[in-house]
Amino acid sequence: HGENHRETAILYNDIGVAHRKAGNSKKAVEYQLRAMDILQLHPDFENIGSIYANLVITYTTLSDYECVKKYIPLCLENIPQEPISNNIACRLNAANGYYSIGDKESLLQAEKIITEALEECYKELGENHILTANCLHSLGVMYCKNAILQRSGKGVEFFTKALAILKKKKKKK
């Protein structure tokens, strides 16, 4: 395939994710940016939003909020429509980036993104899907762990709903 092939970019991104998960976010950024350089040659690449989302996560782990702010809009502008799991994951990663920035405006953006993702989950996947539980959990975290929004009661409500979904999933196994 060669150095500038889409598949090479996907592998660079995956290597970057592996480095981040192993605790080496600086190395992760190198690989993820290499993936982005290659994908600039392929503007029709349908899953670029997922790679932007991975950069948001990696820069969040590095506490590099200027880069987080740079990549969140790119992530949101390029959210993959299919599969729905990638769509929701991109939204939640962008929201996590905003949450990590931590100011009120960013938290409100995170809340909006997660709420929209939750609505999409209810519409496309139903109220008992694991991605629905993930969105509910994310809202719970936002509300319970951040005093700026002052909505801890809502956080408990969202945690409880997420837990109910997970308990239903366990019973089905």
Side-chain angles (χ1 to χ4, degrees):
H1 286 336
E3 178 65 20
N4 292 325
H5 195 274
R6 297 169 194 243
E7 294 299 320
T8 305
I10 292 168
L11 286 171
Y12 279 136
N13 177 64
D14 291 345
I15 291 167
V17 169
H19 277 293
R20 184 187 71 238
K21 289 183 177 184
N24 191 349
S25 293
K26 288 183 180 183
K27 190 85 165 162
V29 166
E30 292 174 28
Y31 281 96
Q32 290 168 321
L33 290 176
R34 212 181 288 174
M36 291 307 306
D37 288 342
I38 295 168
L39 291 175
Q40 298 307 313
L41 303 172
H42 304 281
D44 60 334
F45 183 72
E46 65 281 348
N47 211 13
I48 198 163
S50 296
I51 296 175
Y52 285 130
N54 285 327
L55 278 163
V56 169
I57 297 168
T58 303
Y59 280 119
T60 298
T61 63
L62 291 168
S63 300
D64 184 342
Y65 300 114
E66 289 307 310
C67 284
V68 170
K69 289 177 187 178
K70 173 183 174 182
Y71 286 106
I72 289 173
L74 294 168
C75 171
L76 293 173
E77 290 166 12
N78 293 284
I79 291 175
Q81 296 307 303
E82 298 291 330
I84 189 74
S85 58
N86 286 3
N87 177 299
I88 299 303
C90 280
R91 292 181 197 206
L92 292 179
N93 290 340
N96 184 54
Y98 276 130
Y99 175 80
S100 297
I101 294 167
D103 61 67
K104 187 167 186 171
E105 182 181 329
S106 296
L107 292 170
L108 291 171
Q109 284 292 335
E111 177 185 38
K112 179 180 182 277
I113 292 166
I114 298 169
T115 300
E116 290 171 354
L118 178 60
E119 290 169 3
E120 188 75 13
C121 283
Y122 280 137
K123 179 181 157 196
E124 297 294 326
L125 303 170
E127 64 183 29
N128 293 315
H129 196 276
I130 190 71
L131 289 175
T132 305
N134 289 348
C135 291
L136 290 165
H137 179 257
S138 293
L139 280 172
V141 168
M142 273 197 54
Y143 293 155
C144 284
K145 294 189 176 180
N146 195 296
I148 292 174
L149 295 179
Q150 299 178 349
R151 298 183 188 145
S152 60
K154 292 288 285 179
V156 171
E157 175 188 331
F158 288 124
F159 283 146
T160 303
K161 287 180 181 179
L163 182 61
I165 293 169
L166 295 178
K167 284 183 173 182
K168 286 178 189 176
K169 291 291 178 194
K170 187 169 184 163
K171 285 181 184 178
K172 288 183 180 181
K173 286 185 177 183

